[in-house]
Amino acid sequence: IVYLQNHNAILVKNDKAISHFPVLDFKVSRNGKVYYRTQNGPFLSDESGKLNSLGGAVIIYLVSENGDVVYLNDQGIIFKNGAPLNQNQGKVIYQIRKTSGQKIFVAPNIAITRNGRTIYINDMGMLYVDQMPMSSHTAKVLEFKVDSQATVFYLDDLGRLFKNKIKILQKPVKVKTFKLNARGQIAYLTDGASKNLYFEDQNLSAGSHRVLDFSFTGSGEVIYKDDKDRLWKMGQLISD
């Protein structure tokens, strides 16, 4: 049981205080590891003390199921379990949003898998997995998604879509956007004039018309709209 004491914001685990300073927030992994940020910094700590952040304030931290922690400081350096990953490989870009007068830091270019693999894009558009480059240096990665099996899907600025390091579509069209359903199945939209929507290796029909947008149903099927504003589901017209 981990909780913050109301009167002084000290963090307590199983009736034992584990922080020396008031705590800003905390996270607990499935195996019981506790990570927290203090209000004086903020810096990131675990139960043994403060973790290395090269003197920078920790603005975002993610904890995997197995207890690994990945965090970003305000200098754009990303760390895993206290070790910097990108100190000499560019920086990770983050955004600052204000909500109710408070600053909220957002970094869509960072993810951690269940088993602790760290995935991130640096400011040069290179995609890395635990310091190892996954993408080609000839293009910039625009976005990535990770399924429950730690498979990485990513789209670069040349319109190429990859599954890990393998290009998914070999046709002379560019991929505009892609999504994963809850099962880890991929759907993606190309810039083709027609027949421009794919689900896994299946080309979904909208007749001779172009698909403009798509989403998934709760059961993972693809539902989409064509340029005549008609609605389709998995190749079947469902609304004129």
Side-chain angles (χ1 to χ4, degrees):
I1 300 174
V2 184
Y3 64 93
L4 281 177
Q5 291 182 337
N6 288 332
H7 61 286
N8 57 11
I10 295 299
L11 189 62
V12 176
K13 178 181 179 182
N14 295 337
D15 296 325
K16 179 183 177 182
I18 60 175
S19 65
H20 301 292
F21 299 100
V23 167
L24 180 66
D25 53 27
F26 69 94
K27 296 180 182 180
V28 185
S29 71
R30 279 197 174 180
N31 61 8
K33 285 188 177 181
V34 181
Y35 297 95
Y36 60 93
R37 291 192 300 171
T38 56
Q39 294 179 11
N40 60 326
F43 298 105
L44 184 67
S45 302
D46 62 11
E47 291 170 66
S48 62
K50 190 167 74 172
L51 296 173
N52 173 38
S53 62
L54 295 176
V58 174
I59 56 175
I60 292 171
Y61 65 108
L62 308 171
V63 179
S64 71
E65 288 186 3
N66 66 356
D68 289 310
V69 62
V70 170
Y71 51 101
L72 182 69
N73 73 9
D74 56 2
Q75 305 302 311
I77 300 175
I78 190 168
F79 299 78
K80 179 177 178 180
N81 299 329
L85 297 181
N86 66 324
Q87 197 169 359
N88 300 307
Q89 295 175 336
K91 297 181 179 181
V92 172
I93 298 173
Y94 60 87
Q95 303 161 3
I96 302 175
R97 299 174 184 168
K98 286 190 176 181
T99 304
S100 302
Q102 290 186 330
K103 285 184 179 180
I104 297 176
F105 295 92
V106 180
N109 294 337
I110 302 174
I112 186 170
T113 65
R114 289 180 177 178
N115 61 358
R117 296 177 76 201
T118 308
I119 304 160
Y120 56 96
I121 303 173
N122 68 11
D123 55 1
M124 294 176 283
M126 286 286 292
L127 178 68
Y128 289 84
V129 178
D130 283 340
Q131 288 189 297
M132 298 297 294
M134 176 168 281
S135 65
S136 166
H137 67 277
T138 59
K140 294 183 178 181
V141 174
L142 300 177
E143 65 170 318
F144 71 88
K145 302 181 190 299
V146 187
D147 68 13
S148 61
Q149 305 302 313
T151 305
V152 185
F153 300 86
Y154 56 97
L155 177 65
D156 68 20
D157 61 355
L158 298 179
R160 301 178 302 181
L161 182 62
F162 294 85
K163 179 179 180 179
N164 291 332
K165 292 187 176 183
I166 300 172
K167 188 178 177 184
I168 290 179
L169 187 65
Q170 303 298 332
K171 297 183 178 181
V173 289
K174 294 181 179 180
V175 175
K176 294 175 59 180
T177 186
F178 73 101
K179 298 174 184 178
L180 298 181
N181 65 15
R183 300 176 183 175
Q185 295 170 303
I186 189 169
Y188 52 95
L189 201 61
T190 75
D191 62 356
S194 62
K195 298 183 178 180
N196 62 319
L197 178 63
Y198 293 81
F199 176 60
E200 296 284 290
D201 57 358
Q202 180 183 357
N203 191 194
L204 294 180
S205 173
S208 60
H209 291 270
R210 189 165 183 249
V211 176
L212 299 181
D213 194 18
F214 71 96
S215 60
F216 289 110
T217 66
S219 59
E221 295 178 303
V222 186
I223 189 166
Y224 50 100
K225 188 175 288 188
D226 67 17
D227 56 10
K228 284 189 67 178
D229 212 30
R230 298 179 302 179
L231 199 61
W232 302 72
K233 183 170 78 172
M234 297 301 292
Q236 300 295 319
L237 182 64
I238 60 174
S239 170
D240 287 329

